[in-house]
Amino acid sequence: GAPCPQWPYCRKRCSYCNFNKYVVPAVDEAAVRACVVRETRTLLHLSQVQSVTSVFFGGGTPSLASPCTIAAVLEAVAGAAHLPAGAEVTLEANPSSTDTPRLAGFRAAGVNRLSIGVQSLDDAELQLLGREHTAAEARGAVEAARGLFPGRTSLDLLFGLPGQSHGAWVQGLEAVLGLCDDHISLYQLTLERGTALAAQVWQGALPTPAPDLLADMYQTARAMLVAAGFRHYEVSNFARKGALSTHNLSYWRAEQYIGVGPGAHGRFVPRGEGGCSREARVQTLEPTAWMREVQSQGHGTRKRVVLTPLEQLEEVLALGLRTDEGITHERWGHFSPHLSLEAVFGVQGEAKALQQQGWLVLDGSGLRCTSEGLALLDSLLPDLLCQLQRC
Amino acid sequence: MAVAGRRAMWWARLRSPCFAAAPLCLPPRLPAGPVACERLYSSRGKEKLDMSMYPVETIRNFSIIAHVDHGKSTLADRLLELTGTIAKTDRNKQVLDKLQVERERGITVKAQSASLFYNHEGVNYLLNLIDTPGHVDFSYEVSRSLSACQGVILVVDANEGIQAQTVANFYLAFEAQLAIIPVINKIDLKNADPERVEKQIEKLFDIPIDECVRISAKQGTNIERVLQKVIEKIPPPQCETADPLKALVFDSTFDHYRGVIANIALFGGEIQKGHKIVSAHTNKRYEVNEVGILTPNEQPTHKLYAGQVGYLIAGMKEVTEAQIGDTLFLHKQPVEPLPGFKSAKPMVFAGMYPVDQTEYNNLKSALERLTLNDSSVTVHRDSSLALGAGWRLGFLGLLHMEVFNQRLEQEYNISVILTAPTVPYKAILSSAKLIKEYGKAEITIINPAQFPDKLSVSEYLEPTVLGTIVTPHEYIGKIIALCQDRRAIQKDMLYIDEHRVMLKYLFPLNEIVVDFYDALKSLSSGYASFDYEDAGYQAADLIKMDILLNGNPVEELATIIHNDKAYATGKFLCERLKDAIPRQLFEIAIQAAIGNKIIARETVKAYRKNVVAKCYGGDITRRMKLLKRQAEGKKLMRKIGNVEVPKDAFIRVLKRQTDK
């Protein structure tokens, strides 16, 4: 079980972000804290999770919450379930709210891994993205974080920005390699409906990056990071010295996770009320409404849908194939005890054709993408889903 | 779809389902036009009318003919109101257009009739208004309505003046030797110029200026005058009730409960319930169950008499039994049949296949039900290696094809694959073997797959049409260039006034079948109008062109074309197909080929990256929905070799995209 509490507030709206977040003049932190704590307890009890494998503070901008809030939530987790000393506790942080004393406070509260939203080391790019920090501030934040969380600091980077050239990307990446710790997430910018950046691109005010350029940027980055000793362990994630993110891996492995906070999503079996099926759960989006619900009934779960065995397998497939290990026979068997990977994908059909074309591998360890196939996963999945649905 | 709406209605001579059956065909979610509008008609009570009150000399049978949008339906509404046939409300819009498609698209696709009662100078008159479709792609449907008339009201827009369909309609009426009452409509418009239109009418049709009636159908101005003209100028029908029964079937509809309802015009005698009648066409005997007039809904009467127009129900089970143009007479009192009509000729053919062969039977029954009231669609069974069992359907035009397809999808929830539209070519065979095989030397080719090789053919023939274009003179240069590009030959050019020109061109039909009208409208800023009529076949240098995807022919896109157009068409099809086929895991070569010769090529590059960047923490539900929709979509793809082609790609390829 992996709780992921959400802190839904941001100081500024980034031009590309469509997450459920709120920019408000003043946050009643004590009240929000009380609600996050209460919902954490309620949902952990509901899940009957005995031991927590990881905690991930996401957002919004959770580094805007004070260390005592983080501490209170972790205490709630430890109170409701076993929280082993070595369990990964990640906090997403913005370079603008990560001065050393603050980071030390987070560490004292129990955070042992930091994921910093650097996004770029170019001031013009940062401005385009609507970030409130400069490249210099990002560098400062990373250095401060590495000092306090050595080997456990991750950097988020964006590529494929409107107007970004291949050369600029390579330069940026070189700079990052000089700065980074042992984990990097590289995300191709996705233009999301409803964001300022997407509107500008779709209206023609900004250029649309060419598909081939994006492919080149991705391939170059993969090569550079692998050369620097990183393992490309998920579509957008790279780690060296074994610094993989336990929390995110558990997500890609379709383990249980418990979303806490406004708009948080979860996947778990509510054993506490006698449930035995995995459910897709969504918490109430809007913070005020969510708080009212938590105050009155202990949680703000707005929607819960029982996932059918087929739907669970579809998620296992769509998430598991994003990783370099793919879907192991063991993991598949956990969700599909009667129909093995071989029985579904080893027979004549789409998967076989994709194997022959060199995009996919099915062998003794499981089903996974080849290195070429990984970049094309979204073209492989519909075929695989078709084959799965026929079983 | 690009070729839709009013601007393309010249295409459609849609014999859509009869309105009586329409409520059964239309899905419940659609606004039930026919049901709603029936409340508008005034009830004349249950008493059967005695039609003997209306002897021949008090009867006038007439049509209103006009170019699209010149106000035919509005004038009909006003005539119905003025004669008390329908209550006068501001809701009367296109009262005679009962089909949903007519109201949606603002067009008339199905002829309707209405009997109007009007007292003029102390005499009660029976005025039979026989509505015609508002577009004359082929003269057939209008001429059949006109055959029941002695006169027409020719409506011309006071602003737009004479247009292509005005000319075509006029000649139909003129050749049928009907009385013509020119009416200039929309005189209330700011830019109305009735003097100019009167001069055009005088010049082109040789009708004196003082015979034109200026009206505004919208505002109801001068409508009474139109009715008086109808009585004064149109002669009563020349026939006798004392003669033996002679009834012309000029239209028919199908009602699921009552069977065939035939619209008839009596050219002699009388008819009533219980009469035994015979069809001159089939020699089948029927007993009359009901006769009546249309007001415009069915109003039973005791009898119908010579000169009158109405309907008849006589236990006919299929629309084909009420052959349009057929003559009905009394059993044992045969008469000389009326000349009748040539049947509607389909001019555009396309293959239709179920997306999934398991849907074959559903599609079959849907086709049967739809064609029940649209006998102008011809249906031949066909089969294709790639697409399985299906049909080759003949339509009257591309809009007709579109609407038919749309109705299949909307009303029967069936998706189909439609192949490229073709026109009916002919070949004169020279190979003795083939002649023996076909049993004749001249064959019609409606499917490119059946195109015989040049070596066994002495001559290919293509269908032609005589097109009429009316345009402001400033566009002449561009229009002539367009016509030349379409291999057309100029036949006539006439100034109908100082500013407007009428052009006549002989076109190969296939040159206008897809996008000619759009091109004409766009280069004339919408001012030029177009109409055409069948003009027989001419010799042509035809070849068959294949479209290949990674070397595999796409059966749906095989095309018979003129040799001169091969390169341009091949290039065009390849470019269009490139836009219609999504990138895939491998490169796709799109080629146009004549025999073994490649004449055009486009390439769809392989995907190099297609994977969503961020996938954690957030909601994967939305993403799974998208993936599942894509997986569903895969099942609707047509696989050619290993290339997946969306099923609408073929239609998209053949469409003009005006916004591009």
Side-chain angles (χ1 to χ4, degrees):
Chain A
C4 15
Q6 303 287 307
W7 187 259
Y9 304 103
C10 288
R11 212 148 45 195
K12 186 168 182 253
R13 214 171 280 278
C14 298
S15 66
Y16 59 93
C17 175
N18 75 336
F19 279 21
N20 180 47
K21 81 271 169 187
Y22 300 83
V23 180
V24 292
V27 177
D28 181 354
E29 185 163 346
V32 182
R33 176 196 310 136
C35 288
V36 176
V37 164
R38 181 145 180 223
E39 192 175 51
T40 303
R41 281 199 197 110
T42 310
L43 296 182
L44 270 172
H45 281 299
L46 185 62
S47 75
Q48 297 275 295
V49 162
Q50 300 303 310
S51 175
V52 165
T53 48
S54 61
V55 182
F56 193 99
F57 288 91
T61 312
S63 56
L64 289 178
S66 56
C68 71
T69 292
I70 303 300
V73 177
L74 289 173
E75 275 160 31
V77 172
H82 175 56
L83 179 60
E88 177 187 288
V89 179
T90 307
L91 177 87
E92 282 190 325
N94 249 6
S96 49
S97 48
T98 43
D99 52 88
T100 305
R102 198 172 175 81
L103 289 182
F106 289 132
R107 191 173 68 169
V111 172
N112 55 23
R113 184 172 179 274
L114 217 58
S115 169
I116 303 183
V118 171
Q119 313 310 359
S120 168
L121 288 177
D122 178 288
D123 283 338
E125 287 180 359
L126 288 169
Q127 208 161 18
L128 179 69
L129 295 169
R131 303 290 293 177
E132 55 169 2
H133 62 88
T134 62
E137 283 165 330
R139 286 174 184 281
V142 174
E143 275 153 19
R146 289 188 65 181
L148 287 161
F149 304 95
R152 308 204 57 145
T153 299
S154 174
L155 270 63
D156 276 10
L157 281 184
L158 280 172
F159 72 93
L161 277 52
Q164 187 182 31
S165 70
H166 188 261
W169 169 234
V170 170
Q171 258 181 6
L173 209 52
E174 275 163 357
V176 166
L177 282 172
L179 177 72
C180 70
D181 196 14
D182 295 332
H183 192 280
I184 298 183
S185 302
L186 297 181
Y187 297 115
Q188 180 184 313
L189 176 73
T190 310
L191 293 171
E192 300 284 1
R193 221 179 338 180
T195 63
L197 196 64
Q200 280 175 287
V201 171
W202 291 333
Q203 283 160 14
L206 288 172
T208 316
D212 281 344
L213 174 62
L214 295 172
D216 287 339
M217 286 178 166
Y218 186 60
Q219 296 307 350
T220 305
R222 283 171 89 170
M224 284 172 68
L225 287 170
V226 168
F230 284 85
R231 168 176 159 198
H232 184 192
Y233 75 103
E234 193 266 352
V235 170
S236 303
N237 285 277
F238 300 80
R240 63 184 168 198
K241 300 178 193 161
L244 288 69
S245 163
T246 311
H247 181 87
N248 288 337
L249 259 185
S250 76
Y251 174 78
W252 296 314
R253 288 172 177 164
E255 286 165 7
Q256 298 200 83
Y257 57 98
I258 300 157
V260 175
H265 291 259
R267 289 284 186 280
F268 65 88
V269 183
R271 298 206 187 275
E273 54 174 42
C276 53
S277 304
R278 187 174 164 100
E279 290 183 3
R281 295 175 147 256
V282 189
Q283 308 309 107
T284 294
L285 276 176
E286 204 280 316
T288 323
W290 169 81
M291 282 168 68
R292 255 200 315 273
E293 287 165 37
V294 175
Q295 280 155 3
S296 67
Q297 56 194 9
H299 66 86
T301 304
R302 178 52 65 95
K303 195 178 167 195
R304 39 187 294 197
V305 181
V306 173
L307 295 170
T308 65
L310 175 64
E311 285 170 325
Q312 294 181 36
L313 287 176
E314 286 169 343
E315 290 193 1
V316 167
L317 208 56
L319 292 169
L321 289 178
R322 296 182 64 85
T323 62
D324 64 346
E325 66 181 15
I327 302 151
T328 61
H329 292 290
E330 186 203 347
R331 178 137 309 281
W332 181 265
H334 179 73
F335 286 92
S336 171
H338 304 301
L339 209 57
S340 68
L341 268 179
E342 292 284 355
V344 179
F345 298 113
V347 298
Q348 209 50 267
E350 288 89 338
K352 201 122 218 196
L354 294 172
Q355 283 192 70
Q356 280 156 7
Q357 290 159 26
W359 311 120
L360 207 61
V361 177
L362 175 60
D363 62 11
S365 44
L367 182 71
R368 63 187 179 279
C369 289
T370 61
S371 153
E372 294 75 25
L374 192 65
L376 295 164
L377 178 60
D378 290 359
S379 291
L380 313 183
L381 283 172
D383 273 341
L384 296 176
L385 291 183
C386 279
Q387 191 167 6
L388 175 62
Q389 285 164 5
R390 284 199 305 270
C391 288
Chain B
M1 292 190 162
V3 189
R6 297 195 71 133
R7 65 208 178 88
M9 63 202 274
W10 59 279
W11 276 119
R13 195 173 41 85
L14 303 171
R15 301 262 358 270
S16 288
C18 71
F19 61 88
L24 291 168
C25 308
L26 295 173
R29 67 196 152 83
L30 298 173
V35 174
C37 63
E38 247 159 25
R39 294 199 198 96
L40 300 175
Y41 312 138
S42 65
S43 163
R44 283 177 189 279
K46 296 272 185 271
E47 281 300 296
K48 281 191 178 178
L49 290 171
D50 178 6
M51 296 303 289
S52 68
M53 287 163 58
Y54 297 96
V56 162
E57 58 274 17
T58 66
I59 298 171
R60 303 290 183 272
N61 296 326
F62 68 102
S63 280
I64 308 175
I65 54 180
H67 188 77
V68 48
D69 266 349
H70 281 196
K72 184 171 69 74
S73 296
T74 314
L75 176 56
D77 291 346
R78 288 302 92 75
L79 293 178
L80 293 175
E81 285 171 8
L82 191 66
T83 55
T85 311
I86 57 170
K88 189 174 175 183
T89 78
D90 48 11
R91 283 171 298 158
N92 291 337
K93 279 186 179 141
Q94 288 183 265
V95 169
L96 291 180
D97 293 338
K98 294 187 185 180
L99 289 177
Q100 192 219 349
V101 62
E102 296 178 316
R103 286 160 172 268
E104 243 175 40
R105 297 188 179 228
I107 57 176
T108 303
V109 296
K110 178 79 182 169
Q112 281 299 322
S113 304
S115 295
L116 322 177
F117 302 93
Y118 184 65
N119 187 292
H120 178 59
E121 292 174 350
V123 181
N124 283 318
Y125 286 93
L126 169 64
L127 311 179
N128 294 310
L129 164 56
I130 297 152
D131 196 13
T132 58
H135 35 76
V136 201
D137 51 359
F138 295 80
S139 48
Y140 159 78
E141 182 122 0
V142 171
S143 64
R144 137 186 144 197
S145 293
L146 296 187
S147 65
C149 298
Q150 285 74 45
V152 295
I153 299 173
L154 176 67
V155 179
V156 188
D157 184 308
N159 179 19
E160 291 191 355
I162 287 178
Q163 296 293 321
Q165 278 167 34
T166 321
V167 179
N169 281 322
F170 169 81
Y171 282 108
L172 284 176
F174 186 75
E175 281 160 20
Q177 297 185 310
L178 303 184
I180 296 167
I181 302 168
V183 164
I184 297 171
N185 190 21
K186 306 194 191 180
I187 56 167
D188 56 306
L189 290 185
K190 211 176 84 204
N191 294 325
D193 189 355
E195 283 85 14
R196 183 174 66 92
V197 179
E198 282 168 358
K199 279 184 200 148
Q200 290 178 352
I201 289 172
E202 186 178 40
K203 171 155 189 192
L204 210 56
F205 303 148
D206 207 17
I207 300 175
I209 283 173
D210 58 11
E211 286 190 21
C212 295
V213 189
R214 296 183 185 182
I215 68 161
S216 163
K218 193 174 152 206
Q219 299 187 341
T221 316
N222 243 349
I223 306 301
E224 198 99 16
R225 183 86 194 95
V226 174
L227 282 175
Q228 288 161 11
K229 281 271 193 183
V230 165
I231 289 165
E232 289 162 13
K233 293 280 175 187
I234 298 175
Q238 300 288 312
C239 51
E240 295 288 339
T241 297
D243 287 347
L245 173 69
K246 191 184 213 180
L248 171 74
V249 178
F250 67 90
D251 201 357
S252 65
T253 51
F254 183 81
D255 181 299
H256 278 268
Y257 300 110
R258 299 193 291 173
V260 174
I261 302 172
N263 289 17
I264 53 169
L266 267 67
F267 282 73
E270 55 180 58
I271 192 165
Q272 69 181 79
K273 182 175 174 171
H275 275 172
K276 305 269 190 304
I277 55 165
V278 177
S279 148
H281 181 70
T282 61
N283 260 322
K284 276 192 188 164
R285 228 173 85 184
Y286 302 94
E287 184 176 324
V288 177
N289 299 332
E290 184 179 322
V291 295
I293 57 169
L294 296 157
T295 63
N297 46 341
E298 290 139 23
Q299 177 84 30
T301 62
H302 289 291
K303 290 184 177 183
L304 286 176
Y305 299 91
Q308 297 178 354
V309 171
Y311 70 93
L312 164 146
I313 301 172
M316 296 173 178
K317 295 278 181 281
E318 291 176 30
V319 260
T320 50
E321 289 181 82
Q323 184 77 41
I324 289 155
D326 194 3
T327 303
L328 305 175
F329 55 84
L330 282 179
H331 181 52
K332 292 186 178 156
Q333 293 185 48
V335 295
E336 182 67 23
L338 294 153
F341 322 105
K342 44 186 180 162
S343 53
K345 249 196 316 185
M347 295 308 271
V348 177
F349 290 83
M352 182 177 275
Y353 297 86
V355 172
D356 179 344
Q357 278 293 319
T358 59
E359 289 273 313
Y360 180 86
N361 282 324
N362 288 340
L363 180 54
K364 186 171 170 233
S365 83
L367 278 179
E368 278 165 2
R369 286 166 68 187
L370 257 184
T371 49
L372 204 58
N373 279 302
D374 194 351
S375 58
S376 58
V377 178
T378 63
V379 181
H380 296 284
R381 247 178 307 158
D382 200 357
S383 73
S384 129
L385 270 179
L387 301 174
W391 299 267
R392 185 143 283 262
L393 304 186
F395 301 97
L396 298 157
L398 206 67
L399 179 59
H400 186 196
M401 177 171 110
E402 271 177 22
V403 171
F404 192 86
N405 187 27
Q406 194 180 325
R407 295 190 59 200
L408 269 180
E409 290 192 353
Q410 286 179 349
E411 296 170 25
Y412 296 91
N413 195 24
I414 289 180
S415 292
V416 297
I417 297 171
L418 266 181
T419 63
T422 62
V423 300
Y425 292 106
K426 286 183 176 179
I428 312 285
L429 301 173
S430 59
S431 134
K433 186 169 160 269
L434 278 183
I435 292 173
K436 199 176 160 202
E437 201 180 304
Y438 283 101
K440 55 192 173 186
E442 183 181 301
I443 59 163
T444 301
I445 310 150
I446 58 171
N447 187 341
Q450 296 157 352
F451 191 72
D453 191 85
K454 206 170 190 157
L455 295 172
S456 44
V457 167
S458 62
E459 193 173 38
Y460 294 110
L461 302 170
E462 65 177 341
T464 63
V465 292
L466 185 64
T468 302
I469 298 166
V470 174
T471 175
H473 63 94
E474 60 263 39
Y475 304 111
I476 285 186
K478 285 189 205 163
I479 290 174
I480 289 177
L482 172 70
C483 292
Q484 279 169 351
D485 179 53
R486 301 305 176 106
R487 300 192 286 126
I489 295 157
Q490 197 181 87
K491 292 289 179 188
D492 196 7
M493 178 162 151
L494 174 75
Y495 272 80
I496 60 174
D497 62 23
E498 306 91 89
H499 305 294
R500 291 190 165 265
V501 186
M502 182 178 77
L503 298 158
K504 287 199 184 256
Y505 273 91
L506 187 71
F507 287 92
L509 177 62
N510 83 313
E511 295 287 345
I512 59 165
V513 113
V514 177
D515 62 352
F516 176 78
Y517 189 66
D518 281 345
L520 180 71
K521 279 284 172 193
S522 109
L523 63 75
S524 68
S525 309
Y527 284 113
S529 62
F530 180 63
D531 194 9
Y532 65 98
E533 59 188 283
D534 188 0
Y537 276 78
Q538 69 181 16
D541 183 8
L542 301 175
I543 48 169
K544 181 184 165 196
M545 182 173 73
D546 288 311
I547 300 293
L548 314 175
L549 288 181
N550 282 353
N552 297 302
V554 185
E555 224 166 306
E556 295 90 330
L557 293 177
T559 322
I560 299 168
I561 42 164
H562 198 267
N563 203 0
D564 293 353
K565 292 292 181 94
Y567 182 76
T569 309
K571 189 166 176 291
F572 171 82
L573 286 179
C574 289
E575 283 169 3
R576 273 294 149 81
L577 200 52
K578 185 186 175 184
D579 293 339
I581 296 179
R583 287 176 91 163
Q584 294 175 29
L585 290 169
F586 41 82
E587 184 174 288
I588 302 163
I590 304 169
Q591 296 168 308
I594 295 166
N596 294 324
K597 197 174 132 203
I598 304 295
I599 57 166
R601 170 177 174 137
E602 291 287 333
T603 305
V604 177
K605 286 201 281 184
Y607 255 134
R608 290 185 48 216
K609 179 172 192 289
N610 181 30
V611 60
V612 74
K614 199 155 188 168
C615 204
Y616 72 80
D619 181 17
I620 198 199
T621 308
R622 222 174 68 191
R623 174 135 185 81
M624 291 313 299
K625 267 192 191 143
L626 177 69
L627 283 171
K628 279 191 261 189
R629 208 162 48 230
Q630 287 170 349
E632 240 6 83
K634 288 246 168 198
K635 295 174 188 162
L636 296 179
M637 296 265 196
R638 167 108 159 74
K639 261 202 141 173
I640 293 159
N642 55 352
V643 182
E644 285 172 335
V645 185
K647 73 174 188 74
D648 64 341
F650 307 119
I651 294 174
R652 272 165 60 200
V653 164
L654 293 150
K655 276 275 141 104
R656 179 124 195 142
Q657 290 167 355
T658 37
D659 52 344
K660 262 204 154 176

